[in-house]
Amino acid sequence: MKQPVMKKRIMKNKAVKAPRASKDNNHGILRDFFLGFIKIHTLHHAMKEDVYGLWLIEELNEHGYDLSPGTLYPILHKLEEDGLLTSYSEVVEGKVRKYYQTTPKGAHALERLREKIIELVKEVV
Ligand SMILES: [Zn+2]
């Protein structure tokens, strides 16, 4: 089993609202695109280490996504339902925390997405 992510980043920035992220992130016309990017980020990180919701929110925050739990958790549940993520729960400081890992199916999907990302970047950027 992979090691769970370190806690340090959680301490750094408890507030989830990121001033530098635009409001468009969650409610604007780009929302559908961002949801796809967020899924890719999630598969990528959950492949490297076990991740949990709040950690992901802060990680994505650093990439400029202003994400609420109400947006992220349904994404995580959908990825798990689709067999791309798997999860387990652990009690951390008296609270249950759900960790996610990318499954082999998720890793395969990510591999295919990576090819598409490279192609897209070549074309668009
Ligand atoms: Zn990331």
Side-chain angles (χ1 to χ4, degrees), residues 2 39-51 76-88 99-114:
K2 288 171 282 184
K39 285 184 183 178
I40 294 168
H41 266 285
T42 300
L43 290 178
H44 168 73
H45 286 293
M47 205 167 116
K48 294 199 298 184
E49 53 200 351
D50 298 358
V51 299
L76 293 175
H77 296 156
K78 178 76 169 82
L79 289 171
E80 189 172 13
E81 197 183 296
D82 291 344
L84 304 177
L85 287 179
T86 183
S87 70
Y88 63 92
Y99 284 98
Y100 292 89
Q101 301 172 325
T102 299
T103 62
K105 187 179 173 186
H108 181 69
L110 187 61
E111 199 46 53
R112 294 194 56 200
L113 285 163
R114 194 171 283 128

